[in-house]
Amino acid sequence: MNKEEVSQKYQIPVSLLDEYESWGLCNVVKFVMGEWQYDDQDIERLSTIMALHDMGFKNDEIEKYMRLLLETKNSADEIIQLLTKKRQNKLDQIHFQEKQLERIDYLRYKIKKSQEK
């Protein structure tokens, strides 16, 4: 499949495909008659990239993750560290948002109390 076919079939933005190609990770992708051709393995990698993107990974983090994933020797620990760091960041965001909600609830409570008087 070429870039446009992949983009349409799998709902992957062309800009993401361009990024993927620029990383040089698509060693299986072949350049045929002026177009990149994607195979099933590339689609699987792109699925992983989309999932990481949806989880809030930045492009440089995704590239690092994918490079580590393709580098099968001794990369598991580094991948776990990367995922653990991202998980902790997400937890920090959740806790911050919980505090914001508590403040909102407190303000609502104060207003309701003042209305009762």
Side-chain angles (χ1 to χ4, degrees):
M1 278 187 277
N2 67 29
K3 188 186 301 186
E4 287 74 26
E5 291 168 337
V6 170
S7 177
Q8 289 176 358
K9 183 173 183 178
Y10 297 102
Q11 308 291 308
I12 300 172
V14 172
S15 60
L16 189 105
L17 296 173
D18 290 338
E19 185 83 17
Y20 175 64
E21 290 172 5
S22 76
W23 293 341
L25 299 175
C26 43
N27 57 356
V28 208
V29 175
K30 294 177 179 36
F31 198 68
V32 179
M33 295 184 66
E35 291 186 307
W36 289 98
Q37 297 297 313
Y38 292 82
D39 65 12
D40 290 341
Q41 191 174 27
D42 295 308
I43 302 304
E44 189 175 319
R45 287 184 191 137
L46 287 165
S47 175
T48 300
I49 289 169
M50 293 295 290
L52 293 170
H53 185 268
D54 290 345
M55 287 183 255
F57 279 71
K58 297 175 186 156
N59 282 353
D60 60 327
E61 294 171 321
I62 294 171
E63 180 179 4
K64 181 176 181 178
Y65 182 93
M66 294 306 294
R67 287 190 187 286
L68 289 169
L69 192 63
L70 295 174
E71 179 187 297
T72 56
K73 294 180 185 175
N74 306 318
S75 61
D77 288 341
E78 206 169 338
I79 290 172
I80 294 293
Q81 286 177 335
L82 199 134
L83 292 171
T84 301
K85 181 180 176 184
K86 184 55 77 175
R87 184 181 190 281
Q88 186 58 52
N89 288 343
K90 290 293 179 189
L91 283 173
D92 291 345
Q93 289 173 358
I94 290 168
H95 293 142
F96 178 75
Q97 289 176 337
E98 285 174 337
K99 287 182 182 193
Q100 288 178 322
L101 285 172
E102 288 172 8
R103 290 179 186 135
I104 290 170
D105 289 342
Y106 175 73
L107 292 173
R108 291 176 64 215
Y109 168 80
K110 277 181 60 175
I111 290 171
K112 284 181 181 179
K113 277 295 195 188
S114 70
Q115 287 177 332
E116 290 175 3
K117 294 181 180 180

